[in-house]
Amino acid sequence: MQQNRNIQIIEWEDLDKRKFYSFGVFMTMTIRATVYPATLIRTRLQVQKGKSLYNGTFDAFFKILRAEGVRGLYRGFMVNTFTLISGQAYITTYELVRKYVSNYSKDNTVKSLVAGGAASLVAQTITVPIDVISQQLMMQGQGKHLTRFRVKVKTEADGKTKMAFGQTRNMIAQIFAADGFRGFYRGYVASLLTYIPNSAVWWPFYHFYAEQLSKMAPSDCPHLLLQAMAGPLAAATASTVTNPMDVVRARVQVEGRTSIIETFRHLLAEEGFWGMTKGLSARIISSIPTAIVMVVGYETLKRVSLRPELVDSRHWVGTLGGICCQCAGPPVKCSLKEAM
């Protein structure tokens, strides 16, 4: 391996922030539009009692498509796009906290855990009110009897019902009237207990899978490909581990429950252990493309966002989570510079 060139990592201060955020919004919007139907299906599966509506992910997909059309798979999507703000807040917090922690620890797992936890805390503070509204909208249609709120509908001459304009505003008004401002942060603690551990599990397993794949793969296998495989594997693992709390979170937010422990007990008593796995396959389906974009797209995003005057002085080395693209292992085992 050629090691005599001066490889420099693309750091936060090297980026053209205008390009970074512009491309970042486009990238995030594209992936959210792609996986949103799986997110909607996951929510309905997690909230339904037993199999009262759907028998699984694919059954839900075809039933919603037949009964509600493509638009039914995108209920609440417009309000959900405001989570783009939290996505950018997550990236910014992650980068800044990781840089700060590097002053005290060179261990990439420690830096990733602390930065990921802090980023999740900031992101969820922004995301939870948006999730509360969008999830109530997701449940309209076939799942409307499972939620406390109903959007306005119009009855046409032939007797068919049609959604009225302004349903998001109407939903916001109903939530505020019922629960006040606190209603928009219902399930906030449950969200933190879902997504902070999700980040904490994702990063170590990402390191583990990338390292194991690098040992098994041929020497000429592109290391970025190994990372693109490690990301979805880590996402599937993290989703499986944290899914029970995600089911509880969804029920707290949609059904208006106040106690996480009571919701957990009620779920176990009503549906047993398998109740904890509700929506898991849909969650994994939505997390896989997200993970691939996070691993491949995010570093590509950093590359295209490099400040013009630094383009010729930087050689791109993937650094997500401290994994070196040239050895696909933790930088401590690599002769190159420490990633990030």
Side-chain angles (χ1 to χ4, degrees), residues 5-31:
R5 65 178 178 173
N6 182 27
I7 297 177
Q8 296 185 355
I9 304 303
I10 297 176
E11 298 286 5
W12 179 250
E13 59 269 18
D14 299 332
L15 299 177
D16 179 328
K17 304 305 188 295
R18 182 180 58 81
K19 283 185 180 180
F20 181 75
Y21 285 116
S22 297
F23 288 129
V25 167
F26 175 77
M27 183 182 76
T28 306
M29 186 67 175
T30 300
I31 194 64

Side-chain angles (χ1 to χ4, degrees), residues 27-39 74 77 285-286 289:
M27 183 182 76
T28 306
M29 186 67 175
T30 300
I31 194 64
R32 285 188 186 279
T34 303
V35 304
Y36 190 81
T39 303
Y74 282 88
F77 177 70
I285 289 171
S286 66

Side-chain angles (χ1 to χ4, degrees), residues 183-203:
F184 296 104
Y185 275 93
R186 185 177 294 279
Y188 178 66
V189 174
S191 292
L192 294 181
L193 293 176
T194 300
Y195 292 109
I196 291 180
N198 191 80
S199 290
V201 171
W202 196 97
W203 289 108

Side-chain angles (χ1 to χ4, degrees), residues 70-113:
V70 175
R71 291 182 63 182
L73 293 168
Y74 282 88
R75 289 183 185 274
F77 177 70
M78 292 308 296
V79 67
N80 190 262
T81 59
F82 285 99
T83 57
L84 290 172
I85 300 171
S86 66
Q88 299 308 305
Y90 183 98
I91 291 172
T92 303
T93 305
Y94 179 83
E95 290 283 357
L96 293 177
V97 173
R98 187 179 172 86
K99 181 180 178 182
Y100 176 78
V101 175
S102 67
N103 295 325
Y104 302 94
S105 175
K106 298 302 180 184
D107 187 289
N108 280 280
T109 302
V110 172
K111 289 190 287 186
S112 296
L113 286 173

Side-chain angles (χ1 to χ4, degrees), residues 246-258:
D246 194 46
V247 176
V248 172
R249 176 198 60 81
R251 293 203 169 192
V252 166
Q253 292 180 332
V254 173
E255 296 178 351
R257 296 177 179 271
T258 57

